[in-house]
PDB file of all heavy atoms in Angstrom:
ATOM      1  N   THR A   1      62.999 -34.899  18.342  1.00 95.00           N
ATOM      2  CA  THR A   1      63.816 -36.103  18.118  1.00 95.00           C
ATOM      3  C   THR A   1      65.122 -36.018  18.898  1.00 95.00           C
ATOM      4  O   THR A   1      65.577 -37.009  19.480  1.00 95.00           O
ATOM      5  CB  THR A   1      64.101 -36.271  16.615  1.00 95.00           C
ATOM      6  OG1 THR A   1      62.869 -36.360  15.898  1.00 95.00           O
ATOM      7  CG2 THR A   1      64.927 -37.519  16.358  1.00 95.00           C
ATOM      8  N   LEU A   2      65.725 -34.838  18.908  1.00 95.00           N
ATOM      9  CA  LEU A   2      66.960 -34.642  19.673  1.00 95.00           C
ATOM     10  C   LEU A   2      66.722 -34.928  21.155  1.00 95.00           C
ATOM     11  O   LEU A   2      67.484 -35.669  21.782  1.00 95.00           O
ATOM     12  CB  LEU A   2      67.462 -33.213  19.487  1.00 95.00           C
ATOM     13  CG  LEU A   2      68.570 -32.750  20.442  1.00 95.00           C
ATOM     14  CD1 LEU A   2      69.844 -33.562  20.221  1.00 95.00           C
ATOM     15  CD2 LEU A   2      68.833 -31.242  20.273  1.00 95.00           C
ATOM     16  N   MET A   3      65.667 -34.358  21.710  1.00 96.00           N
ATOM     17  CA  MET A   3      65.413 -34.542  23.140  1.00 96.00           C
ATOM     18  C   MET A   3      65.106 -36.000  23.465  1.00 96.00           C
ATOM     19  O   MET A   3      65.586 -36.546  24.466  1.00 96.00           O
ATOM     20  CB  MET A   3      64.265 -33.619  23.578  1.00 96.00           C
ATOM     21  CG  MET A   3      64.674 -32.147  23.660  1.00 96.00           C
ATOM     22  SD  MET A   3      63.396 -31.084  24.366  1.00 96.00           S
ATOM     23  CE  MET A   3      62.294 -30.926  22.945  1.00 96.00           C
ATOM     24  N   ARG A   4      64.327 -36.658  22.634  1.00 95.00           N
ATOM     25  CA  ARG A   4      63.987 -38.064  22.892  1.00 95.00           C
ATOM     26  C   ARG A   4      65.201 -38.981  22.814  1.00 95.00           C
ATOM     27  O   ARG A   4      65.270 -39.998  23.493  1.00 95.00           O
ATOM     28  CB  ARG A   4      62.921 -38.523  21.893  1.00 95.00           C
ATOM     29  CG  ARG A   4      61.514 -38.007  22.229  1.00 95.00           C
ATOM     30  CD  ARG A   4      60.516 -38.431  21.196  1.00 95.00           C
ATOM     31  NE  ARG A   4      59.149 -38.090  21.607  1.00 95.00           N
ATOM     32  CZ  ARG A   4      58.116 -37.995  20.789  1.00 95.00           C
ATOM     33  NH1 ARG A   4      58.299 -38.223  19.473  1.00 95.00           N
ATOM     34  NH2 ARG A   4      56.923 -37.697  21.232  1.00 95.00           N
ATOM     35  N   SER A   5      66.165 -38.608  21.976  1.00 95.00           N
ATOM     36  CA  SER A   5      67.353 -39.444  21.822  1.00 95.00           C
ATOM     37  C   SER A   5      68.312 -39.308  22.990  1.00 95.00           C
ATOM     38  O   SER A   5      69.159 -40.185  23.207  1.00 95.00           O
ATOM     39  CB  SER A   5      68.073 -39.093  20.511  1.00 95.00           C
ATOM     40  OG  SER A   5      68.587 -37.781  20.558  1.00 95.00           O
ATOM     41  N   VAL A   6      68.181 -38.238  23.764  1.00 96.00           N
ATOM     42  CA  VAL A   6      69.125 -37.978  24.847  1.00 96.00           C
ATOM     43  C   VAL A   6      68.497 -38.171  26.233  1.00 96.00           C
ATOM     44  O   VAL A   6      69.120 -38.751  27.139  1.00 96.00           O
ATOM     45  CB  VAL A   6      69.700 -36.548  24.739  1.00 96.00           C
ATOM     46  CG1 VAL A   6      70.572 -36.212  25.954  1.00 96.00           C
ATOM     47  CG2 VAL A   6      70.488 -36.384  23.445  1.00 96.00           C
ATOM     48  N   LEU A   7      67.266 -37.719  26.404  1.00 96.00           N
ATOM     49  CA  LEU A   7      66.654 -37.740  27.730  1.00 96.00           C
ATOM     50  C   LEU A   7      66.240 -39.159  28.134  1.00 96.00           C
ATOM     51  O   LEU A   7      66.004 -40.012  27.278  1.00 96.00           O
ATOM     52  CB  LEU A   7      65.437 -36.813  27.754  1.00 96.00           C
ATOM     53  CG  LEU A   7      65.714 -35.337  27.419  1.00 96.00           C
ATOM     54  CD1 LEU A   7      64.452 -34.511  27.574  1.00 96.00           C
ATOM     55  CD2 LEU A   7      66.846 -34.781  28.281  1.00 96.00           C
ATOM     56  N   PRO A   8      66.162 -39.448  29.448  1.00 95.00           N
ATOM     57  CA  PRO A   8      65.755 -40.782  29.913  1.00 95.00           C
ATOM     58  C   PRO A   8      64.382 -41.170  29.354  1.00 95.00           C
ATOM     59  O   PRO A   8      63.549 -40.312  29.047  1.00 95.00           O
ATOM     60  CB  PRO A   8      65.708 -40.615  31.436  1.00 95.00           C
ATOM     61  CG  PRO A   8      66.628 -39.480  31.724  1.00 95.00           C
ATOM     62  CD  PRO A   8      66.510 -38.544  30.567  1.00 95.00           C
ATOM     63  N   GLU A   9      64.169 -42.486  29.270  1.00 94.00           N
ATOM     64  CA  GLU A   9      62.952 -42.996  28.636  1.00 94.00           C
ATOM     65  C   GLU A   9      61.690 -42.563  29.355  1.00 94.00           C
ATOM     66  O   GLU A   9      60.639 -42.379  28.736  1.00 94.00           O
ATOM     67  CB  GLU A   9      63.023 -44.528  28.577  1.00 94.00           C
ATOM     68  CG  GLU A   9      61.917 -45.165  27.770  1.00 94.00           C
ATOM     69  CD  GLU A   9      62.094 -46.658  27.630  1.00 94.00           C
ATOM     70  OE1 GLU A   9      63.160 -47.172  28.007  1.00 94.00           O
ATOM     71  OE2 GLU A   9      61.153 -47.321  27.163  1.00 94.00           O
ATOM     72  N   ASP A  10      61.744 -42.400  30.676  1.00 94.00           N
ATOM     73  CA  ASP A  10      60.543 -42.028  31.421  1.00 94.00           C
ATOM     74  C   ASP A  10      60.336 -40.515  31.500  1.00 94.00           C
ATOM     75  O   ASP A  10      59.463 -40.041  32.248  1.00 94.00           O
ATOM     76  CB  ASP A  10      60.578 -42.622  32.826  1.00 94.00           C
ATOM     77  CG  ASP A  10      61.783 -42.146  33.633  1.00 94.00           C
ATOM     78  OD1 ASP A  10      62.701 -41.550  33.043  1.00 94.00           O
ATOM     79  OD2 ASP A  10      61.804 -42.382  34.855  1.00 94.00           O
ATOM     80  N   SER A  11      61.113 -39.759  30.731  1.00 95.00           N
ATOM     81  CA  SER A  11      60.917 -38.303  30.692  1.00 95.00           C
ATOM     82  C   SER A  11      59.584 -37.977  30.030  1.00 95.00           C
ATOM     83  O   SER A  11      59.117 -38.693  29.144  1.00 95.00           O
ATOM     84  CB  SER A  11      62.055 -37.628  29.920  1.00 95.00           C
ATOM     85  OG  SER A  11      63.293 -37.874  30.535  1.00 95.00           O
ATOM     86  N   VAL A  12      58.986 -36.882  30.465  1.00 95.00           N
ATOM     87  CA  VAL A  12      57.710 -36.418  29.907  1.00 95.00           C
ATOM     88  C   VAL A  12      57.967 -35.089  29.208  1.00 95.00           C
ATOM     89  O   VAL A  12      58.291 -34.086  29.851  1.00 95.00           O
ATOM     90  CB  VAL A  12      56.655 -36.261  31.016  1.00 95.00           C
ATOM     91  CG1 VAL A  12      55.382 -35.640  30.450  1.00 95.00           C
ATOM     92  CG2 VAL A  12      56.352 -37.607  31.653  1.00 95.00           C
ATOM     93  N   ILE A  13      57.854 -35.095  27.867  1.00 96.00           N
ATOM     94  CA  ILE A  13      58.132 -33.899  27.067  1.00 96.00           C
ATOM     95  C   ILE A  13      56.804 -33.290  26.614  1.00 96.00           C
ATOM     96  O   ILE A  13      55.983 -33.971  25.995  1.00 96.00           O
ATOM     97  CB  ILE A  13      58.991 -34.240  25.829  1.00 96.00           C
ATOM     98  CG1 ILE A  13      60.289 -34.932  26.266  1.00 96.00           C
ATOM     99  CG2 ILE A  13      59.301 -32.975  25.023  1.00 96.00           C
ATOM    100  CD1 ILE A  13      61.113 -35.463  25.098  1.00 96.00           C
ATOM    101  N   CYS A  14      56.602 -32.018  26.927  1.00 95.00           N
ATOM    102  CA  CYS A  14      55.360 -31.320  26.582  1.00 95.00           C
ATOM    103  C   CYS A  14      55.659 -30.133  25.674  1.00 95.00           C
ATOM    104  O   CYS A  14      56.582 -29.345  25.964  1.00 95.00           O
ATOM    105  CB  CYS A  14      54.650 -30.822  27.841  1.00 95.00           C
ATOM    106  SG  CYS A  14      54.244 -32.115  29.042  1.00 95.00           S
ATOM    107  N   ARG A  15      54.901 -30.015  24.618  1.00 95.00           N
ATOM    108  CA  ARG A  15      54.992 -28.816  23.769  1.00 95.00           C
ATOM    109  C   ARG A  15      54.046 -27.778  24.346  1.00 95.00           C
ATOM    110  O   ARG A  15      52.829 -27.961  24.351  1.00 95.00           O
ATOM    111  CB  ARG A  15      54.610 -29.149  22.329  1.00 95.00           C
ATOM    112  CG  ARG A  15      54.802 -27.971  21.370  1.00 95.00           C
ATOM    113  CD  ARG A  15      54.289 -28.305  19.989  1.00 95.00           C
ATOM    114  NE  ARG A  15      54.468 -27.202  19.056  1.00 95.00           N
ATOM    115  CZ  ARG A  15      53.807 -27.103  17.906  1.00 95.00           C
ATOM    116  NH1 ARG A  15      52.943 -28.043  17.532  1.00 95.00           N
ATOM    117  NH2 ARG A  15      54.022 -26.059  17.109  1.00 95.00           N
ATOM    118  N   THR A  16      54.609 -26.689  24.841  1.00 92.00           N
ATOM    119  CA  THR A  16      53.807 -25.677  25.535  1.00 92.00           C
ATOM    120  C   THR A  16      53.508 -24.460  24.676  1.00 92.00           C
ATOM    121  O   THR A  16      52.732 -23.594  25.085  1.00 92.00           O
ATOM    122  CB  THR A  16      54.532 -25.228  26.808  1.00 92.00           C
ATOM    123  OG1 THR A  16      55.835 -24.744  26.458  1.00 92.00           O
ATOM    124  CG2 THR A  16      54.669 -26.390  27.776  1.00 92.00           C
ATOM    125  N   GLY A  17      54.141 -24.371  23.510  1.00 89.00           N
ATOM    126  CA  GLY A  17      53.903 -23.252  22.606  1.00 89.00           C
ATOM    127  C   GLY A  17      54.351 -23.635  21.211  1.00 89.00           C
ATOM    128  O   GLY A  17      54.621 -24.815  20.932  1.00 89.00           O
ATOM    129  N   GLY A  18      54.462 -22.671  20.309  1.00 90.00           N
ATOM    130  CA  GLY A  18      54.837 -22.970  18.934  1.00 90.00           C
ATOM    131  C   GLY A  18      56.130 -23.745  18.825  1.00 90.00           C
ATOM    132  O   GLY A  18      56.197 -24.805  18.197  1.00 90.00           O
ATOM    133  N   ASP A  19      57.202 -23.239  19.432  1.00 93.00           N
ATOM    134  CA  ASP A  19      58.490 -23.938  19.407  1.00 93.00           C
ATOM    135  C   ASP A  19      59.077 -24.041  20.804  1.00 93.00           C
ATOM    136  O   ASP A  19      60.283 -24.141  20.991  1.00 93.00           O
ATOM    137  CB  ASP A  19      59.474 -23.210  18.483  1.00 93.00           C
ATOM    138  CG  ASP A  19      59.730 -21.775  18.912  1.00 93.00           C
ATOM    139  OD1 ASP A  19      58.956 -21.246  19.742  1.00 93.00           O
ATOM    140  OD2 ASP A  19      60.705 -21.165  18.430  1.00 93.00           O
ATOM    141  N   GLU A  20      58.200 -24.068  21.802  1.00 95.00           N
ATOM    142  CA  GLU A  20      58.618 -24.102  23.198  1.00 95.00           C
ATOM    143  C   GLU A  20      58.223 -25.441  23.828  1.00 95.00           C
ATOM    144  O   GLU A  20      57.128 -25.963  23.581  1.00 95.00           O
ATOM    145  CB  GLU A  20      57.980 -22.956  23.983  1.00 95.00           C
ATOM    146  CG  GLU A  20      58.380 -21.578  23.464  1.00 95.00           C
ATOM    147  CD  GLU A  20      57.556 -20.469  24.110  1.00 95.00           C
ATOM    148  OE1 GLU A  20      56.647 -20.804  24.901  1.00 95.00           O
ATOM    149  OE2 GLU A  20      57.818 -19.296  23.807  1.00 95.00           O
ATOM    150  N   PHE A  21      59.121 -25.957  24.664  1.00 96.00           N
ATOM    151  CA  PHE A  21      58.906 -27.261  25.281  1.00 96.00           C
ATOM    152  C   PHE A  21      59.326 -27.227  26.742  1.00 96.00           C
ATOM    153  O   PHE A  21      60.208 -26.470  27.129  1.00 96.00           O
ATOM    154  CB  PHE A  21      59.720 -28.348  24.562  1.00 96.00           C
ATOM    155  CG  PHE A  21      59.358 -28.523  23.116  1.00 96.00           C
ATOM    156  CD1 PHE A  21      59.991 -27.755  22.125  1.00 96.00           C
ATOM    157  CD2 PHE A  21      58.390 -29.434  22.741  1.00 96.00           C
ATOM    158  CE1 PHE A  21      59.661 -27.909  20.798  1.00 96.00           C
ATOM    159  CE2 PHE A  21      58.055 -29.605  21.404  1.00 96.00           C
ATOM    160  CZ  PHE A  21      58.694 -28.843  20.425  1.00 96.00           C
ATOM    161  N   VAL A  22      58.654 -28.068  27.531  1.00 97.00           N
ATOM    162  CA  VAL A  22      59.060 -28.320  28.906  1.00 97.00           C
ATOM    163  C   VAL A  22      59.171 -29.836  29.063  1.00 97.00           C
ATOM    164  O   VAL A  22      58.256 -30.564  28.702  1.00 97.00           O
ATOM    165  CB  VAL A  22      58.063 -27.760  29.931  1.00 97.00           C
ATOM    166  CG1 VAL A  22      58.425 -28.232  31.345  1.00 97.00           C
ATOM    167  CG2 VAL A  22      58.037 -26.239  29.891  1.00 97.00           C
ATOM    168  N   ALA A  23      60.311 -30.305  29.584  1.00 97.00           N
ATOM    169  CA  ALA A  23      60.518 -31.733  29.811  1.00 97.00           C
ATOM    170  C   ALA A  23      60.679 -31.986  31.301  1.00 97.00           C
ATOM    171  O   ALA A  23      61.450 -31.290  31.977  1.00 97.00           O
ATOM    172  CB  ALA A  23      61.745 -32.230  29.052  1.00 97.00           C
ATOM    173  N   PHE A  24      59.927 -32.978  31.811  1.00 97.00           N
ATOM    174  CA  PHE A  24      60.007 -33.370  33.215  1.00 97.00           C
ATOM    175  C   PHE A  24      60.827 -34.659  33.306  1.00 97.00           C
ATOM    176  O   PHE A  24      60.526 -35.645  32.632  1.00 97.00           O
ATOM    177  CB  PHE A  24      58.615 -33.589  33.798  1.00 97.00           C
ATOM    178  CG  PHE A  24      57.764 -32.353  33.784  1.00 97.00           C
ATOM    179  CD1 PHE A  24      56.940 -32.065  32.699  1.00 97.00           C
ATOM    180  CD2 PHE A  24      57.791 -31.468  34.850  1.00 97.00           C
ATOM    181  CE1 PHE A  24      56.143 -30.929  32.681  1.00 97.00           C
ATOM    182  CE2 PHE A  24      57.005 -30.320  34.846  1.00 97.00           C
ATOM    183  CZ  PHE A  24      56.183 -30.047  33.751  1.00 97.00           C
ATOM    184  N   LEU A  25      61.850 -34.655  34.162  1.00 97.00           N
ATOM    185  CA  LEU A  25      62.750 -35.796  34.303  1.00 97.00           C
ATOM    186  C   LEU A  25      62.689 -36.312  35.739  1.00 97.00           C
ATOM    187  O   LEU A  25      63.400 -35.812  36.630  1.00 97.00           O
ATOM    188  CB  LEU A  25      64.189 -35.403  33.960  1.00 97.00           C
ATOM    189  CG  LEU A  25      64.565 -35.192  32.478  1.00 97.00           C
ATOM    190  CD1 LEU A  25      63.814 -34.025  31.861  1.00 97.00           C
ATOM    191  CD2 LEU A  25      66.067 -34.991  32.351  1.00 97.00           C
ATOM    192  N   PRO A  26      61.794 -37.280  36.027  1.00 95.00           N
ATOM    193  CA  PRO A  26      61.687 -37.796  37.397  1.00 95.00           C
ATOM    194  C   PRO A  26      62.946 -38.548  37.812  1.00 95.00           C
ATOM    195  O   PRO A  26      63.594 -39.217  37.001  1.00 95.00           O
ATOM    196  CB  PRO A  26      60.479 -38.740  37.324  1.00 95.00           C
ATOM    197  CG  PRO A  26      60.354 -39.100  35.878  1.00 95.00           C
ATOM    198  CD  PRO A  26      60.834 -37.916  35.110  1.00 95.00           C
ATOM    199  N   ASN A  27      63.308 -38.393  39.080  1.00 95.00           N
ATOM    200  CA  ASN A  27      64.464 -39.083  39.683  1.00 95.00           C
ATOM    201  C   ASN A  27      65.785 -38.729  38.991  1.00 95.00           C
ATOM    202  O   ASN A  27      66.680 -39.560  38.886  1.00 95.00           O
ATOM    203  CB  ASN A  27      64.248 -40.598  39.675  1.00 95.00           C
ATOM    204  CG  ASN A  27      62.991 -41.006  40.425  1.00 95.00           C
ATOM    205  OD1 ASN A  27      62.854 -40.723  41.606  1.00 95.00           O
ATOM    206  ND2 ASN A  27      62.060 -41.650  39.727  1.00 95.00           N
ATOM    207  N   VAL A  28      65.884 -37.485  38.522  1.00 96.00           N
ATOM    208  CA  VAL A  28      67.118 -36.974  37.916  1.00 96.00           C
ATOM    209  C   VAL A  28      67.581 -35.766  38.746  1.00 96.00           C
ATOM    210  O   VAL A  28      66.846 -34.789  38.878  1.00 96.00           O
ATOM    211  CB  VAL A  28      66.904 -36.571  36.447  1.00 96.00           C
ATOM    212  CG1 VAL A  28      68.145 -35.856  35.901  1.00 96.00           C
ATOM    213  CG2 VAL A  28      66.579 -37.806  35.610  1.00 96.00           C
ATOM    214  N   ASP A  29      68.788 -35.854  39.295  1.00 96.00           N
ATOM    215  CA  ASP A  29      69.273 -34.767  40.139  1.00 96.00           C
ATOM    216  C   ASP A  29      69.952 -33.679  39.310  1.00 96.00           C
ATOM    217  O   ASP A  29      70.067 -33.777  38.076  1.00 96.00           O
ATOM    218  CB  ASP A  29      70.207 -35.298  41.225  1.00 96.00           C
ATOM    219  CG  ASP A  29      71.427 -36.020  40.656  1.00 96.00           C
ATOM    220  OD1 ASP A  29      71.764 -35.792  39.470  1.00 96.00           O
ATOM    221  OD2 ASP A  29      72.037 -36.812  41.393  1.00 96.00           O
ATOM    222  N   GLU A  30      70.453 -32.660  39.992  1.00 96.00           N
ATOM    223  CA  GLU A  30      71.021 -31.495  39.309  1.00 96.00           C
ATOM    224  C   GLU A  30      72.263 -31.852  38.508  1.00 96.00           C
ATOM    225  O   GLU A  30      72.433 -31.399  37.361  1.00 96.00           O
ATOM    226  CB  GLU A  30      71.340 -30.410  40.340  1.00 96.00           C
ATOM    227  CG  GLU A  30      71.847 -29.116  39.712  1.00 96.00           C
ATOM    228  CD  GLU A  30      72.044 -28.005  40.733  1.00 96.00           C
ATOM    229  OE1 GLU A  30      71.819 -28.265  41.938  1.00 96.00           O
ATOM    230  OE2 GLU A  30      72.423 -26.891  40.332  1.00 96.00           O
ATOM    231  N   ALA A  31      73.122 -32.674  39.059  1.00 96.00           N
ATOM    232  CA  ALA A  31      74.356 -33.036  38.356  1.00 96.00           C
ATOM    233  C   ALA A  31      74.039 -33.790  37.063  1.00 96.00           C
ATOM    234  O   ALA A  31      74.641 -33.527  36.012  1.00 96.00           O
ATOM    235  CB  ALA A  31      75.240 -33.895  39.265  1.00 96.00           C
ATOM    236  N   ARG A  32      73.091 -34.684  37.143  1.00 97.00           N
ATOM    237  CA  ARG A  32      72.778 -35.478  35.951  1.00 97.00           C
ATOM    238  C   ARG A  32      72.093 -34.631  34.890  1.00 97.00           C
ATOM    239  O   ARG A  32      72.383 -34.768  33.698  1.00 97.00           O
ATOM    240  CB  ARG A  32      71.897 -36.658  36.330  1.00 97.00           C
ATOM    241  CG  ARG A  32      71.687 -37.625  35.152  1.00 97.00           C
ATOM    242  CD  ARG A  32      70.818 -38.793  35.510  1.00 97.00           C
ATOM    243  NE  ARG A  32      70.563 -39.627  34.361  1.00 97.00           N
ATOM    244  CZ  ARG A  32      69.589 -40.520  34.285  1.00 97.00           C
ATOM    245  NH1 ARG A  32      68.753 -40.682  35.312  1.00 97.00           N
ATOM    246  NH2 ARG A  32      69.421 -41.243  33.195  1.00 97.00           N
ATOM    247  N   VAL A  33      71.181 -33.743  35.285  1.00 97.00           N
ATOM    248  CA  VAL A  33      70.488 -32.949  34.273  1.00 97.00           C
ATOM    249  C   VAL A  33      71.463 -32.001  33.577  1.00 97.00           C
ATOM    250  O   VAL A  33      71.356 -31.753  32.364  1.00 97.00           O
ATOM    251  CB  VAL A  33      69.291 -32.186  34.887  1.00 97.00           C
ATOM    252  CG1 VAL A  33      69.732 -30.995  35.726  1.00 97.00           C
ATOM    253  CG2 VAL A  33      68.349 -31.700  33.769  1.00 97.00           C
ATOM    254  N   ASN A  34      72.455 -31.482  34.312  1.00 96.00           N
ATOM    255  CA  ASN A  34      73.448 -30.623  33.674  1.00 96.00           C
ATOM    256  C   ASN A  34      74.302 -31.407  32.676  1.00 96.00           C
ATOM    257  O   ASN A  34      74.679 -30.889  31.612  1.00 96.00           O
ATOM    258  CB  ASN A  34      74.341 -29.977  34.736  1.00 96.00           C
ATOM    259  CG  ASN A  34      73.616 -28.888  35.513  1.00 96.00           C
ATOM    260  OD1 ASN A  34      72.680 -28.271  34.992  1.00 96.00           O
ATOM    261  ND2 ASN A  34      74.013 -28.667  36.756  1.00 96.00           N
ATOM    262  N   HIS A  35      74.564 -32.659  33.005  1.00 97.00           N
ATOM    263  CA  HIS A  35      75.296 -33.516  32.069  1.00 97.00           C
ATOM    264  C   HIS A  35      74.455 -33.757  30.809  1.00 97.00           C
ATOM    265  O   HIS A  35      74.985 -33.738  29.679  1.00 97.00           O
ATOM    266  CB  HIS A  35      75.630 -34.844  32.759  1.00 97.00           C
ATOM    267  CG  HIS A  35      76.320 -35.833  31.862  1.00 97.00           C
ATOM    268  ND1 HIS A  35      77.584 -35.607  31.344  1.00 97.00           N
ATOM    269  CD2 HIS A  35      75.917 -37.051  31.370  1.00 97.00           C
ATOM    270  CE1 HIS A  35      77.935 -36.640  30.584  1.00 97.00           C
ATOM    271  NE2 HIS A  35      76.937 -37.520  30.583  1.00 97.00           N
TER     272      HIS A  35
END
């Protein structure tokens, strides 16, 4: 819920393990992802 509330709408969030996740943010550069 935290990630969905903050990350862009077209982000792809994958649960890769028990409590592990990888989120893909297309068209997001380094400065924006750090923000």
Side-chain angles (χ1 to χ4, degrees):
T1 302
L2 168 64
M3 286 187 282
R4 284 178 173 160
S5 66
V6 174
L7 301 184
E9 188 175 351
D10 60 348
S11 299
V12 174
I13 304 173
C14 302
R15 185 185 180 198
T16 57
D19 59 345
E20 299 171 357
F21 299 88
V22 172
F24 298 91
L25 286 64
N27 302 301
V28 172
D29 59 20
E30 184 175 2
R32 187 180 176 197
V33 74
N34 287 333
H35 177 65

